[in-house]
Amino acid sequence: KYSNWRKQWVELNEASRKELVEQIEALSSRPSFSLILDATDWDNPSLFTTIKSVIEQLYPDWILCITNGNMLDPDIAEKIKKLNDNRIKNSLTSPPEPNNWVLELNPGTQLHEAALFASAVSINKNPEVSLLYSDHDHMDPHGNFCDPYMKPDWNPDLFAAMNYLTPFIVFKRELWSNHKKKEPDQDLPLVEIAKTLYHHEIFHIPHVLATLQVNDDGTHLQPTCKRVLYDLPDPAPTVSI
């Protein structure tokens, strides 16, 4: 069962947490992260699930910017206040000047407690990288982890047909700033961003670092794909079968 596998290979025990904290303290370079969470038209449980998973990060060098914070329900605003963490920032519109690395999160995305640590280590080991992504899994309505999505390393042909990078994507600040969305309801143009990068600038972290909440209808197992049509030379080549 996936739950058994996850307990062994994904979840951390106290000894593992202590070891990671020691590794964080020994890092020669400490990348800083800005996590951007848009509060527009989302329910309280989804928002707080994501906020709580950020608060629980073992790696401490981050800020969480909640955009359109004026749309927060008073109850969740009070919960955030009680967290008493000055790394959480409210912004009425666009986020402030970001840190070195940027993540855009959708409410309901639950980060693994070592997600930012794994990102920091990967950045230090791959100084040429500009974009990182990870594997993820899902949580059903009953609170059970299920359906892991183990992804390949960067594959431009596969990515042209389907976006397999989300929900955990880390952008270098300059890359994000050059392509950030102009309107709140616009997504980052990942296809256009990928075209500007070399293969070695996109790094796959082969760990489950995020969890998406799903329904029981199984639609999350049917990724959106598109058929890619390539231009043929003129005259068209002949094929022998």
PDB file of all heavy atoms in Angstrom, residues 36 94-98 102 104 173-183 186-189 193:
ATOM      1  N   ILE A  36       4.221  32.739  -2.443  1.00  0.00           N
ATOM      2  CA  ILE A  36       3.111  33.653  -2.749  1.00  0.00           C
ATOM      3  C   ILE A  36       1.814  32.856  -2.795  1.00  0.00           C
ATOM      4  O   ILE A  36       1.681  31.886  -3.543  1.00  0.00           O
ATOM      5  CB  ILE A  36       3.359  34.375  -4.083  1.00  0.00           C
ATOM      6  CG1 ILE A  36       4.668  35.176  -4.000  1.00  0.00           C
ATOM      7  CG2 ILE A  36       2.193  35.300  -4.416  1.00  0.00           C
ATOM      8  CD1 ILE A  36       5.117  35.759  -5.315  1.00  0.00           C
ATOM      9  N   SER A  94      -0.156  43.171  -5.308  1.00  0.00           N
ATOM     10  CA  SER A  94       1.013  42.384  -5.682  1.00  0.00           C
ATOM     11  C   SER A  94       1.940  42.205  -4.482  1.00  0.00           C
ATOM     12  O   SER A  94       1.954  43.017  -3.563  1.00  0.00           O
ATOM     13  CB  SER A  94       1.767  43.071  -6.825  1.00  0.00           C
ATOM     14  OG  SER A  94       2.183  44.354  -6.426  1.00  0.00           O
ATOM     15  N   PRO A  95       2.732  41.127  -4.493  1.00  0.00           N
ATOM     16  CA  PRO A  95       3.649  40.881  -3.382  1.00  0.00           C
ATOM     17  C   PRO A  95       4.806  41.866  -3.386  1.00  0.00           C
ATOM     18  O   PRO A  95       5.114  42.481  -4.411  1.00  0.00           O
ATOM     19  CB  PRO A  95       4.141  39.453  -3.663  1.00  0.00           C
ATOM     20  CG  PRO A  95       3.995  39.290  -5.139  1.00  0.00           C
ATOM     21  CD  PRO A  95       2.765  40.074  -5.510  1.00  0.00           C
ATOM     22  N   PRO A  96       5.465  42.034  -2.231  1.00  0.00           N
ATOM     23  CA  PRO A  96       6.641  42.911  -2.182  1.00  0.00           C
ATOM     24  C   PRO A  96       7.811  42.298  -2.942  1.00  0.00           C
ATOM     25  O   PRO A  96       7.717  41.182  -3.464  1.00  0.00           O
ATOM     26  CB  PRO A  96       6.929  43.004  -0.683  1.00  0.00           C
ATOM     27  CG  PRO A  96       6.369  41.726  -0.124  1.00  0.00           C
ATOM     28  CD  PRO A  96       5.156  41.423  -0.951  1.00  0.00           C
ATOM     29  N   GLU A  97       8.912  43.007  -3.000  1.00  0.00           N
ATOM     30  CA  GLU A  97      10.109  42.507  -3.675  1.00  0.00           C
ATOM     31  C   GLU A  97      10.474  41.138  -3.113  1.00  0.00           C
ATOM     32  O   GLU A  97      10.666  40.970  -1.910  1.00  0.00           O
ATOM     33  CB  GLU A  97      11.276  43.471  -3.488  1.00  0.00           C
ATOM     34  CG  GLU A  97      12.553  43.072  -4.186  1.00  0.00           C
ATOM     35  CD  GLU A  97      12.436  43.077  -5.712  1.00  0.00           C
ATOM     36  OE1 GLU A  97      11.537  43.780  -6.235  1.00  0.00           O
ATOM     37  OE2 GLU A  97      13.229  42.387  -6.375  1.00  0.00           O
ATOM     38  N   PRO A  98      10.543  40.114  -3.969  1.00  0.00           N
ATOM     39  CA  PRO A  98      10.733  38.755  -3.465  1.00  0.00           C
ATOM     40  C   PRO A  98      12.161  38.464  -3.058  1.00  0.00           C
ATOM     41  O   PRO A  98      13.094  39.220  -3.368  1.00  0.00           O
ATOM     42  CB  PRO A  98      10.320  37.892  -4.663  1.00  0.00           C
ATOM     43  CG  PRO A  98      10.639  38.742  -5.854  1.00  0.00           C
ATOM     44  CD  PRO A  98      10.359  40.158  -5.421  1.00  0.00           C
ATOM     45  N   VAL A 102      11.375  32.025  -5.693  1.00  0.00           N
ATOM     46  CA  VAL A 102       9.938  32.307  -5.578  1.00  0.00           C
ATOM     47  C   VAL A 102       9.124  31.046  -5.880  1.00  0.00           C
ATOM     48  O   VAL A 102       9.414  30.320  -6.839  1.00  0.00           O
ATOM     49  CB  VAL A 102       9.521  33.433  -6.550  1.00  0.00           C
ATOM     50  CG1 VAL A 102       8.032  33.739  -6.397  1.00  0.00           C
ATOM     51  CG2 VAL A 102      10.348  34.695  -6.325  1.00  0.00           C
ATOM     52  N   GLU A 104       4.921  30.000  -6.239  1.00  0.00           N
ATOM     53  CA  GLU A 104       3.514  30.397  -6.217  1.00  0.00           C
ATOM     54  C   GLU A 104       2.690  29.181  -5.803  1.00  0.00           C
ATOM     55  O   GLU A 104       2.760  28.131  -6.440  1.00  0.00           O
ATOM     56  CB  GLU A 104       3.069  30.907  -7.588  1.00  0.00           C
ATOM     57  CG  GLU A 104       3.710  32.231  -7.961  1.00  0.00           C
ATOM     58  CD  GLU A 104       3.049  32.867  -9.178  1.00  0.00           C
ATOM     59  OE1 GLU A 104       2.048  32.297  -9.682  1.00  0.00           O
ATOM     60  OE2 GLU A 104       3.521  33.914  -9.627  1.00  0.00           O
ATOM     61  N   ARG A 173      14.525  34.265  -8.772  1.00  0.00           N
ATOM     62  CA  ARG A 173      13.807  35.538  -8.705  1.00  0.00           C
ATOM     63  C   ARG A 173      13.801  36.262 -10.042  1.00  0.00           C
ATOM     64  O   ARG A 173      12.752  36.765 -10.473  1.00  0.00           O
ATOM     65  CB  ARG A 173      14.436  36.438  -7.637  1.00  0.00           C
ATOM     66  CG  ARG A 173      13.776  37.819  -7.532  1.00  0.00           C
ATOM     67  CD  ARG A 173      14.410  38.640  -6.422  1.00  0.00           C
ATOM     68  NE  ARG A 173      15.838  38.819  -6.664  1.00  0.00           N
ATOM     69  CZ  ARG A 173      16.697  39.247  -5.730  1.00  0.00           C
ATOM     70  NH1 ARG A 173      16.264  39.509  -4.518  1.00  0.00           N
ATOM     71  NH2 ARG A 173      17.975  39.383  -6.020  1.00  0.00           N
ATOM     72  N   GLU A 174      14.921  36.339 -10.719  1.00  0.00           N
ATOM     73  CA  GLU A 174      14.979  37.066 -11.984  1.00  0.00           C
ATOM     74  C   GLU A 174      14.075  36.430 -13.028  1.00  0.00           C
ATOM     75  O   GLU A 174      13.411  37.122 -13.814  1.00  0.00           O
ATOM     76  CB  GLU A 174      16.424  37.123 -12.494  1.00  0.00           C
ATOM     77  CG  GLU A 174      17.386  37.925 -11.625  1.00  0.00           C
ATOM     78  CD  GLU A 174      17.843  37.181 -10.384  1.00  0.00           C
ATOM     79  OE1 GLU A 174      17.576  35.962 -10.286  1.00  0.00           O
ATOM     80  OE2 GLU A 174      18.463  37.822  -9.509  1.00  0.00           O
ATOM     81  N   LEU A 175      14.032  35.110 -13.054  1.00  0.00           N
ATOM     82  CA  LEU A 175      13.182  34.405 -14.010  1.00  0.00           C
ATOM     83  C   LEU A 175      11.717  34.692 -13.720  1.00  0.00           C
ATOM     84  O   LEU A 175      10.933  34.977 -14.632  1.00  0.00           O
ATOM     85  CB  LEU A 175      13.463  32.903 -13.932  1.00  0.00           C
ATOM     86  CG  LEU A 175      12.687  32.008 -14.891  1.00  0.00           C
ATOM     87  CD1 LEU A 175      13.090  32.276 -16.322  1.00  0.00           C
ATOM     88  CD2 LEU A 175      12.921  30.529 -14.543  1.00  0.00           C
ATOM     89  N   TRP A 176      11.342  34.626 -12.454  1.00  0.00           N
ATOM     90  CA  TRP A 176       9.954  34.890 -12.073  1.00  0.00           C
ATOM     91  C   TRP A 176       9.569  36.337 -12.363  1.00  0.00           C
ATOM     92  O   TRP A 176       8.493  36.613 -12.885  1.00  0.00           O
ATOM     93  CB  TRP A 176       9.764  34.573 -10.591  1.00  0.00           C
ATOM     94  CG  TRP A 176       8.382  34.842 -10.087  1.00  0.00           C
ATOM     95  CD1 TRP A 176       7.307  33.990 -10.151  1.00  0.00           C
ATOM     96  CD2 TRP A 176       7.913  36.029  -9.450  1.00  0.00           C
ATOM     97  NE1 TRP A 176       6.202  34.572  -9.589  1.00  0.00           N
ATOM     98  CE2 TRP A 176       6.544  35.829  -9.146  1.00  0.00           C
ATOM     99  CE3 TRP A 176       8.515  37.226  -9.096  1.00  0.00           C
ATOM    100  CZ2 TRP A 176       5.775  36.798  -8.512  1.00  0.00           C
ATOM    101  CZ3 TRP A 176       7.748  38.197  -8.466  1.00  0.00           C
ATOM    102  CH2 TRP A 176       6.403  37.985  -8.179  1.00  0.00           C
ATOM    103  N   SER A 177      10.464  37.269 -12.050  1.00  0.00           N
ATOM    104  CA  SER A 177      10.162  38.689 -12.267  1.00  0.00           C
ATOM    105  C   SER A 177       9.965  39.005 -13.736  1.00  0.00           C
ATOM    106  O   SER A 177       9.120  39.827 -14.103  1.00  0.00           O
ATOM    107  CB  SER A 177      11.290  39.557 -11.693  1.00  0.00           C
ATOM    108  OG  SER A 177      11.393  39.418 -10.295  1.00  0.00           O
ATOM    109  N   ASN A 178      10.718  38.347 -14.594  1.00  0.00           N
ATOM    110  CA  ASN A 178      10.610  38.600 -16.034  1.00  0.00           C
ATOM    111  C   ASN A 178       9.322  38.060 -16.638  1.00  0.00           C
ATOM    112  O   ASN A 178       8.900  38.504 -17.710  1.00  0.00           O
ATOM    113  CB  ASN A 178      11.807  37.984 -16.766  1.00  0.00           C
ATOM    114  CG  ASN A 178      13.098  38.731 -16.494  1.00  0.00           C
ATOM    115  OD1 ASN A 178      13.079  39.901 -16.106  1.00  0.00           O
ATOM    116  ND2 ASN A 178      14.221  38.056 -16.657  1.00  0.00           N
ATOM    117  N   HIS A 179       8.694  37.103 -15.961  1.00  0.00           N
ATOM    118  CA  HIS A 179       7.519  36.450 -16.540  1.00  0.00           C
ATOM    119  C   HIS A 179       6.299  36.481 -15.632  1.00  0.00           C
ATOM    120  O   HIS A 179       5.290  35.846 -15.941  1.00  0.00           O
ATOM    121  CB  HIS A 179       7.828  34.980 -16.858  1.00  0.00           C
ATOM    122  CG  HIS A 179       8.851  34.800 -17.915  1.00  0.00           C
ATOM    123  ND1 HIS A 179      10.210  34.728 -17.635  1.00  0.00           N
ATOM    124  CD2 HIS A 179       8.752  34.680 -19.263  1.00  0.00           C
ATOM    125  CE1 HIS A 179      10.879  34.552 -18.761  1.00  0.00           C
ATOM    126  NE2 HIS A 179      10.026  34.523 -19.758  1.00  0.00           N
ATOM    127  N   LYS A 180       6.384  37.198 -14.520  1.00  0.00           N
ATOM    128  CA  LYS A 180       5.278  37.151 -13.561  1.00  0.00           C
ATOM    129  C   LYS A 180       4.001  37.661 -14.201  1.00  0.00           C
ATOM    130  O   LYS A 180       3.994  38.506 -15.089  1.00  0.00           O
ATOM    131  CB  LYS A 180       5.601  37.970 -12.310  1.00  0.00           C
ATOM    132  CG  LYS A 180       5.763  39.460 -12.530  1.00  0.00           C
ATOM    133  CD  LYS A 180       6.113  40.151 -11.221  1.00  0.00           C
ATOM    134  CE  LYS A 180       6.331  41.643 -11.423  1.00  0.00           C
ATOM    135  NZ  LYS A 180       6.693  42.327 -10.175  1.00  0.00           N
ATOM    136  N   LYS A 181       2.892  37.118 -13.719  1.00  0.00           N
ATOM    137  CA  LYS A 181       1.587  37.436 -14.277  1.00  0.00           C
ATOM    138  C   LYS A 181       1.221  38.889 -14.009  1.00  0.00           C
ATOM    139  O   LYS A 181       1.528  39.450 -12.972  1.00  0.00           O
ATOM    140  CB  LYS A 181       0.528  36.498 -13.698  1.00  0.00           C
ATOM    141  CG  LYS A 181       0.494  36.454 -12.178  1.00  0.00           C
ATOM    142  CD  LYS A 181      -0.355  35.294 -11.711  1.00  0.00           C
ATOM    143  CE  LYS A 181      -0.359  35.209 -10.182  1.00  0.00           C
ATOM    144  NZ  LYS A 181      -1.121  34.068  -9.682  1.00  0.00           N
ATOM    145  N   LYS A 182       0.577  39.488 -14.985  1.00  0.00           N
ATOM    146  CA  LYS A 182       0.176  40.892 -14.861  1.00  0.00           C
ATOM    147  C   LYS A 182      -1.182  41.036 -14.196  1.00  0.00           C
ATOM    148  O   LYS A 182      -1.503  42.064 -13.629  1.00  0.00           O
ATOM    149  CB  LYS A 182       0.160  41.550 -16.247  1.00  0.00           C
ATOM    150  CG  LYS A 182       1.531  41.602 -16.918  1.00  0.00           C
ATOM    151  CD  LYS A 182       1.438  42.250 -18.280  1.00  0.00           C
ATOM    152  CE  LYS A 182       2.822  42.416 -18.905  1.00  0.00           C
ATOM    153  NZ  LYS A 182       3.500  41.126 -19.094  1.00  0.00           N
ATOM    154  N   GLU A 183      -2.014  40.002 -14.279  1.00  0.00           N
ATOM    155  CA  GLU A 183      -3.336  40.025 -13.656  1.00  0.00           C
ATOM    156  C   GLU A 183      -3.421  38.887 -12.644  1.00  0.00           C
ATOM    157  O   GLU A 183      -2.803  37.830 -12.819  1.00  0.00           O
ATOM    158  CB  GLU A 183      -4.438  39.865 -14.708  1.00  0.00           C
ATOM    159  CG  GLU A 183      -4.460  40.972 -15.758  1.00  0.00           C
ATOM    160  CD  GLU A 183      -4.782  42.338 -15.179  1.00  0.00           C
ATOM    161  OE1 GLU A 183      -5.452  42.367 -14.116  1.00  0.00           O
ATOM    162  OE2 GLU A 183      -4.375  43.347 -15.766  1.00  0.00           O
ATOM    163  N   GLN A 186      -4.129  35.275 -13.869  1.00  0.00           N
ATOM    164  CA  GLN A 186      -3.289  34.725 -14.922  1.00  0.00           C
ATOM    165  C   GLN A 186      -2.238  33.791 -14.327  1.00  0.00           C
ATOM    166  O   GLN A 186      -1.659  34.074 -13.287  1.00  0.00           O
ATOM    167  CB  GLN A 186      -2.584  35.839 -15.706  1.00  0.00           C
ATOM    168  CG  GLN A 186      -3.502  36.658 -16.603  1.00  0.00           C
ATOM    169  CD  GLN A 186      -2.727  37.714 -17.365  1.00  0.00           C
ATOM    170  OE1 GLN A 186      -1.642  38.121 -16.963  1.00  0.00           O
ATOM    171  NE2 GLN A 186      -3.298  38.160 -18.463  1.00  0.00           N
ATOM    172  N   ASP A 187      -1.998  32.666 -15.008  1.00  0.00           N
ATOM    173  CA  ASP A 187      -0.943  31.763 -14.596  1.00  0.00           C
ATOM    174  C   ASP A 187       0.361  32.161 -15.255  1.00  0.00           C
ATOM    175  O   ASP A 187       0.383  32.785 -16.313  1.00  0.00           O
ATOM    176  CB  ASP A 187      -1.294  30.322 -14.997  1.00  0.00           C
ATOM    177  CG  ASP A 187      -2.495  29.802 -14.233  1.00  0.00           C
ATOM    178  OD1 ASP A 187      -2.660  30.181 -13.063  1.00  0.00           O
ATOM    179  OD2 ASP A 187      -3.274  29.030 -14.818  1.00  0.00           O
ATOM    180  N   LEU A 188       1.460  31.773 -14.608  1.00  0.00           N
ATOM    181  CA  LEU A 188       2.753  32.007 -15.227  1.00  0.00           C
ATOM    182  C   LEU A 188       2.840  31.214 -16.533  1.00  0.00           C
ATOM    183  O   LEU A 188       2.415  30.061 -16.594  1.00  0.00           O
ATOM    184  CB  LEU A 188       3.871  31.562 -14.284  1.00  0.00           C
ATOM    185  CG  LEU A 188       4.212  32.519 -13.146  1.00  0.00           C
ATOM    186  CD1 LEU A 188       5.121  31.824 -12.156  1.00  0.00           C
ATOM    187  CD2 LEU A 188       4.886  33.770 -13.672  1.00  0.00           C
ATOM    188  N   PRO A 189       3.386  31.815 -17.591  1.00  0.00           N
ATOM    189  CA  PRO A 189       3.476  31.127 -18.888  1.00  0.00           C
ATOM    190  C   PRO A 189       4.618  30.118 -18.900  1.00  0.00           C
ATOM    191  O   PRO A 189       5.703  30.378 -19.426  1.00  0.00           O
ATOM    192  CB  PRO A 189       3.719  32.282 -19.864  1.00  0.00           C
ATOM    193  CG  PRO A 189       4.459  33.304 -19.046  1.00  0.00           C
ATOM    194  CD  PRO A 189       3.903  33.200 -17.647  1.00  0.00           C
ATOM    195  N   ILE A 193       8.407  30.217 -20.471  1.00  0.00           N
ATOM    196  CA  ILE A 193       9.552  30.245 -19.561  1.00  0.00           C
ATOM    197  C   ILE A 193      10.527  29.130 -19.913  1.00  0.00           C
ATOM    198  O   ILE A 193      11.741  29.344 -19.987  1.00  0.00           O
ATOM    199  CB  ILE A 193       9.081  30.107 -18.108  1.00  0.00           C
ATOM    200  CG1 ILE A 193       8.321  31.369 -17.663  1.00  0.00           C
ATOM    201  CG2 ILE A 193      10.263  29.857 -17.169  1.00  0.00           C
ATOM    202  CD1 ILE A 193       7.701  31.264 -16.295  1.00  0.00           C
TER     203      ILE A 193
END
